[in-house]
Amino acid sequence: MGGGGGENRVDNHDDDDDDWELAAGAALADVTLVLVGKVGSGKSATANSILGDEAFESKCSYAGVTQTCQKKSTTVQDGCLIRTINVIDTPGLFDMDIKAEDVRREIVKCMDMAKDGIHAMLMVFSATSRFSCEDEKTIETLKSFFGDKILDHMILVFTRGDEVGGETSWKNMLSDSAPTYLQDILKLFENRVVLFENKTSSTQDRQAQRKKLLDAVDFVVSSNHGKPFSNQLFTQIQEVHHRQKEANSEVYSSMQETDSYISLITKMVEEKLNGTILRMEQQLLKEQEARLDIQNEMTKAILRSEEDIRRLRLSLEKAEQESNNAREENKRFRESEKASKEQEKQTEAEIQKLKEKMEKDREEREEEIRRLRDDLEKEREERQKQSGCIIL
Ligand SMILES: Nc1nc2c(ncn2[C@@H]2O[C@H](COP(=O)(O)OP(=O)(O)OP(=O)(O)O)[C@@H](O)[C@H]2O)c(=O)[nH]1
Ligand SMILES: [Mg+2]
């Protein structure tokens, strides 16, 4: 596998990590791709689209169709380079209902098939299914099992592009409704997200989507300087192959030792898986605790806001009462003002009446006086007449 890309490899460093260097813009002649994802997500159909052949069984089913890891290869002409694409199809390894020992066996088998390392891990999702917690956990489990570095080799493949109305409406769908986790992952995998229409009958479309995927693979390969993903487990597997080779050439024939290596690797995978499960359980526990904390905080906040609402309602009622009182007071004041105006008017009328009465009395008295004076005058004149002299 990886060795086939010798013409693109420049082994100019002793350091194991820097051992791989890909000439800028060059494509690796030999790449190994592993397809992972949930049961029925379209792994085998995508693998077939990449291979351009119905190499793997792919069908509608209530149960998992692919039961064990399988590897097929194809060669493609890329300019003047003939490239070998090795495709490893897997069962839904991280589905809840798969037995731990099957997972262990299949992981060992898969790593054995990709013994020189994985150039790209294609994480397959169906574009028509809801992106669930389980999908989130699959990425997290892979990260936990293989280490964070696996993310550098990951490509996200969404199948059933034909059912979501093609690339544009799929992108709209992602920006409209993708959950936060998926949005973050999509941002992280910017140049490494591909939509597949595995059912398309158009040769042109098939070639175009395959080209798009290989471009993403080349992007991943060159981002990792041509170095495939590998870890201690892969090194152990390579060691087994090395020993087997020696055994076959009859220089070294201890098959027993090879068997013990395989059981050692299986044990290592088991330990890693157990560690992964433990980490996932711990993470789950942490998430549950965090959720509980949030719930508690929310309950406290609700209680606080209920108390605030109660206080606000009370002060609103008080303010309403005060405003009612003020209104009443105002009303009373206006009524008393009206009453006093009435009173004032009445008093004025009485004064007027009194004035008129006094005027009338004065006029009557003056009349009386005039009359008395006239009577007196008459009497005096009468008396003068009688006495014949004028009294001055
Ligand atoms: N319309 C449409 N159907 C697809 C597409 N990709 C896969 N399918 C269908 O989805 C169903 C499941 O596909 P598989 O390739 O068997 O899925 P898988 O992930 O390999 O399933 P397991 O092996 O059971 O884990 C099949 O009926 C496929 O024809 C696609 O792009 N468009
Ligand atoms: Mg399958």
Side-chain angles (χ1 to χ4, degrees):
M1 267 174 280
E7 54 279 21
N8 301 100
R9 252 182 78 179
V10 184
D11 295 327
N12 52 359
H13 299 292
D14 289 338
D15 186 328
D16 196 33
D17 245 14
D18 295 335
D19 204 20
W20 291 78
E21 200 70 58
L22 189 70
L28 265 191
D30 195 344
V31 288
T32 298
L33 316 178
V34 177
L35 291 109
V36 292
K38 273 203 319 197
V39 168
S41 54
K43 299 178 291 297
S44 304
T46 305
N48 290 340
S49 294
I50 297 168
L51 293 166
D53 186 16
E54 297 300 302
F56 300 112
E57 188 180 10
S58 163
K59 62 175 184 183
C60 240
S61 165
Y62 286 117
V65 174
T66 307
Q67 294 298 322
T68 185
C69 293
Q70 296 168 66
K71 180 174 144 192
K72 301 274 180 200
S73 303
T74 188
T75 50
V76 290
Q77 181 89 36
D78 189 357
C80 51
L81 185 72
I82 305 273
R83 306 181 68 182
T84 303
I85 315 287
N86 305 296
V87 179
I88 299 174
D89 187 18
T90 64
L93 286 178
F94 300 99
D95 278 50
M96 299 295 184
D97 47 0
I98 295 214
K99 279 190 259 156
E101 60 186 87
D102 292 342
V103 175
R104 216 157 41 226
R105 188 193 63 233
E106 289 308 318
I107 287 180
V108 173
K109 191 172 172 188
C110 175
M111 289 199 303
D112 187 46
M113 284 174 168
K115 67 179 190 320
D116 291 330
I118 298 167
H119 292 96
M121 185 171 272
L122 312 189
M123 184 84 216
V124 183
F125 300 104
S126 161
T128 55
S129 303
R130 305 278 178 268
F131 191 87
S132 63
C133 286
E134 214 181 325
D135 293 309
E136 191 177 320
K137 288 275 175 293
T138 310
I139 299 179
E140 292 304 316
T141 309
L142 277 170
K143 222 164 84 178
S144 178
F145 183 78
F146 287 109
D148 283 358
K149 251 190 164 311
I150 194 67
L151 292 183
D152 299 338
H153 294 265
M154 215 179 255
I155 293 173
L156 304 188
V157 176
F158 285 81
T159 61
R160 296 181 180 263
D162 47 307
E163 291 183 356
V164 292
E167 190 108 9
T168 313
S169 58
W170 170 63
K171 282 196 172 148
N172 289 339
M173 200 172 112
L174 284 178
S175 59
D176 286 351
S177 60
T180 319
Y181 180 86
L182 181 57
Q183 302 253 21
D184 293 346
I185 286 280
L186 290 172
K187 254 182 240 151
L188 194 72
F189 286 72
E190 207 187 355
N191 298 314
R192 297 178 274 151
V193 185
V194 190
L195 182 69
F196 258 73
E197 296 186 15
N198 290 314
K199 289 268 177 148
T200 182
S201 51
S202 152
T203 317
Q204 206 183 347
D205 287 353
R206 283 189 165 276
Q207 279 172 351
Q209 67 188 14
R210 189 154 85 152
K211 163 99 179 50
K212 220 168 186 180
L213 178 85
L214 290 180
D215 284 348
V217 169
D218 289 341
F219 174 81
V220 166
V221 168
S222 76
S223 305
N224 292 292
H225 311 289
K227 189 175 187 274
F229 175 79
S230 184
N231 61 14
Q232 203 196 350
L233 288 169
F234 283 91
T235 317
Q236 291 285 341
I237 287 170
Q238 279 170 352
E239 182 70 17
V240 173
H241 279 272
H242 180 64
R243 295 209 174 236
Q244 271 175 341
K245 225 177 186 174
E246 284 183 344
N248 287 344
S249 64
E250 286 174 316
V251 177
Y252 187 89
S253 61
S254 171
M255 288 309 284
Q256 251 181 341
E257 194 169 330
T258 305
D259 284 348
S260 75
Y261 256 100
I262 289 181
S263 57
L264 176 78
I265 291 160
T266 309
K267 202 162 171 288
M268 282 171 74
V269 169
E270 191 176 335
E271 276 166 15
K272 268 229 158 244
L273 269 177
N274 288 345
T276 299
I277 291 166
L278 198 73
R279 264 197 302 280
M280 297 301 284
E281 279 173 355
Q282 281 168 348
Q283 194 185 329
L284 197 72
L285 209 71
K286 256 196 224 159
E287 282 170 10
Q288 276 170 348
E289 279 170 6
R291 216 172 298 135
L292 216 69
D293 283 351
I294 290 171
Q295 263 173 7
N296 285 343
E297 279 306 313
M298 272 171 66
T299 314
K300 275 188 209 161
I302 288 170
L303 286 176
R304 268 199 307 272
S305 72
E306 275 177 359
E307 178 59 25
D308 285 350
I309 289 170
R310 200 183 62 81
R311 266 205 306 270
L312 275 171
R313 196 172 291 139
L314 278 179
S315 47
L316 192 73
E317 278 170 11
K318 201 173 156 207
E320 259 173 13
Q321 188 60 45
E322 279 171 4
S323 122
N324 281 346
N325 290 348
R327 215 174 290 133
E328 277 297 314
E329 185 72 22
N330 198 9
K331 196 174 155 199
R332 270 200 302 277
F333 173 75
R334 261 188 275 124
E335 277 171 3
S336 78
E337 198 180 35
K338 199 175 156 194
S340 73
K341 269 187 188 153
E342 279 296 317
Q343 185 68 40
E344 211 172 287
K345 257 192 215 165
Q346 254 176 28
T347 316
E348 262 174 28
E350 273 167 23
I351 290 171
Q352 186 63 27
K353 255 191 232 164
L354 222 67
K355 267 186 193 168
E356 282 168 8
K357 193 169 175 280
M358 276 166 70
E359 186 64 21
K360 206 175 160 195
D361 283 356
R362 191 179 56 80
E363 281 171 4
E364 277 173 6
R365 259 195 311 275
E366 274 177 4
E367 183 61 31
E368 181 79 25
I369 291 169
R370 216 173 14 255
R371 239 186 298 123
L372 280 172
R373 202 177 278 147
D374 286 351
D375 289 349
L376 202 66
E377 194 63 33
K378 270 183 202 162
E379 209 179 281
R380 196 189 303 153
E381 281 173 8
E382 219 32 69
R383 238 180 279 137
Q384 268 178 0
K385 267 185 213 166
Q386 283 171 8
S387 64
C389 65
I390 301 164
I391 300 167
L392 291 170

